[in-house]
């Protein structure tokens, strides 16, 4: 099979609306059961299971079994990057209700992009890191940035051991600018959660930013959100 055919087959696989919806849900970085995914994308359970099996056949997603349940998620960050890029290229979804409008605003404000912070807040964090000299324009960590992260209680030695990109820019589909991805992006998200600055929300990849978080980002990064 030619490379062109392989690319076409993968595009066809994830081009199905239901499979694309499943992968978009899984961009929250969490693992979900088939029934949860079925409810979230509005497709019958049997149909959802069929699409999940197709995605697993091509290693687009993985499954983990806990007790009687199987949980599905994205383990390969390249899959998440590809989906985020497709969202950047796609036209905005039509808003048909007040609920959809609120959900859309929440996702655009702050969300998880696989395992790091995206949306308006994610881009503001990236801008602050660059403006303060913690990252250069290519998103490489500087000596000043290492000192800041050490003070911020981020264990650089541990995250550099991970077999993945340490830090790279990720194009944000809603802001059309870059936020911080890679192991460093994950470490920042985890530290923000530990500090109580942001919190995950159920049934969505939107993140809520607490008052403590707004104060903390203002004090540490000079971000006013």
């Amino acid at each position: 099979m030619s490379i062109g055919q392989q690319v076409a087959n993968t595009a066809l696989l994830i081009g199905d609306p239901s499979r694309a919806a499943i992968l978009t849900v899984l961009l929250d970085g969490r693992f979900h059961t088939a029934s949860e995914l079925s409810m979230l994308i509005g497709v019958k359970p049997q149909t959802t299971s069929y699409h999940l099996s197709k995605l697993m056949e091509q290693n687009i997603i993985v499954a983990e079994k806990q007790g009687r349940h199987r949980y599905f998620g994205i383990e390969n960050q390249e899959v998440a990057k590809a989906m985020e890029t497709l969202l950047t290229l796609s036209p905005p979804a039509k808003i048909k209700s007040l609920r959809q409008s609120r959900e859309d605003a929440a996702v655009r404000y702050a969300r998880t992009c696989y395992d790091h912070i995206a949306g308006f807040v994610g881009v503001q964090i990236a801008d602050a890191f660059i403006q303060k000299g913690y990252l250069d324009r290519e998103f490489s960590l500087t000596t000043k940035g290492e000192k800041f992260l050490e003070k911020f209680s981020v264990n650089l030695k541990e995250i550099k051991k991970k077999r993945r990109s340490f830090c790279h820019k990720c194009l944000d589909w809603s802001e059309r600018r870059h936020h911080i991805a890679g192991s460093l992006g994950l470490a920042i998200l985890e530290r923000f959660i530990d500090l109580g600055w942001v919190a995950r929300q159920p049934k969505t990849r939107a993140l809520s930013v607490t008052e403590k978080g707004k104060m903390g980002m203002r004090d540490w990064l000079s971000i006013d959100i």
Side-chain angles (χ1 to χ4, degrees):
M1 185 184 297
S2 68
I3 293 177
Q5 187 60 55
Q6 288 177 324
V7 172
N9 288 346
T10 301
L12 184 64
L13 179 71
I14 66 176
D16 178 273
S18 295
R19 292 172 201 161
I22 288 170
L23 292 172
T24 302
V25 170
L26 294 179
L27 284 177
D28 66 0
R30 290 177 281 195
F31 278 68
H32 298 267
T33 64
S35 58
E36 288 173 341
L37 291 168
S38 174
M39 180 184 64
L40 289 169
I41 69 172
V43 173
K44 292 180 180 178
Q46 299 93 325
T47 306
T48 301
S49 295
Y50 168 76
H51 289 308
L52 289 170
S53 66
K54 287 295 182 181
L55 291 168
M56 286 183 62
E57 284 176 8
Q58 298 300 318
N59 298 317
I60 302 295
I61 63 172
V62 296
E64 291 187 5
K65 190 172 183 180
Q66 292 287 340
R68 294 164 49 193
H69 299 286
R70 294 177 79 199
Y71 295 83
F72 301 88
I74 296 173
E75 243 185 18
N76 186 344
Q77 63 175 327
E78 296 303 321
V79 173
K81 285 170 62 178
M83 286 304 300
E84 193 74 13
T85 300
L86 288 174
L87 285 169
T88 304
L89 297 172
S90 304
K94 291 183 179 180
I95 304 299
K96 300 180 180 179
S97 67
L98 179 60
R99 179 181 63 83
Q100 287 181 330
S101 177
R102 288 173 176 169
E103 290 175 351
D104 182 69
V107 167
R108 289 174 179 273
Y109 178 66
R111 65 179 180 275
T112 52
C113 172
Y114 182 45
D115 62 0
H116 51 269
I117 303 173
F120 171 76
V121 173
V123 169
Q124 291 297 306
I125 293 169
D127 285 350
F129 265 66
I130 291 172
Q131 290 167 7
K132 289 181 173 294
Y134 303 153
L135 293 176
D136 63 23
R137 292 289 173 181
E138 297 302 316
F139 278 53
S140 294
L141 187 66
T142 65
T143 301
K144 187 176 181 181
E146 291 181 351
K147 292 179 180 178
F148 166 76
L149 290 170
E150 182 179 352
K151 187 178 180 182
F152 195 58
S153 299
V154 171
N155 191 330
L156 283 176
K157 289 183 179 179
E158 285 301 315
I159 62 176
K160 284 183 177 180
K161 291 179 182 178
K162 297 183 179 180
R163 299 180 63 181
R164 56 177 294 189
S165 167
F166 170 68
C167 180
H168 62 266
K169 58 179 72 173
C170 181
L171 183 60
D172 195 285
W173 66 260
S174 57
E175 293 294 309
R176 297 300 196 270
R177 295 169 60 209
H178 294 107
H179 53 250
I180 302 170
S183 297
L184 180 58
L186 171 60
I188 292 171
L189 171 60
E190 291 178 336
R191 184 61 179 143
F192 277 30
I193 291 175
D194 289 343
L195 290 169
W197 289 10
V198 300
R200 295 183 183 274
Q201 298 184 39
K203 300 180 181 180
T204 177
R205 59 189 183 119
L207 294 168
S208 59
V209 181
T210 65
E211 287 302 316
K212 184 179 179 181
K214 292 176 182 178
M215 291 178 59
M217 282 185 258
R218 185 164 54 244
D219 292 343
W220 281 85
L221 295 170
S222 304
I223 299 175
D224 190 1
I225 58 170

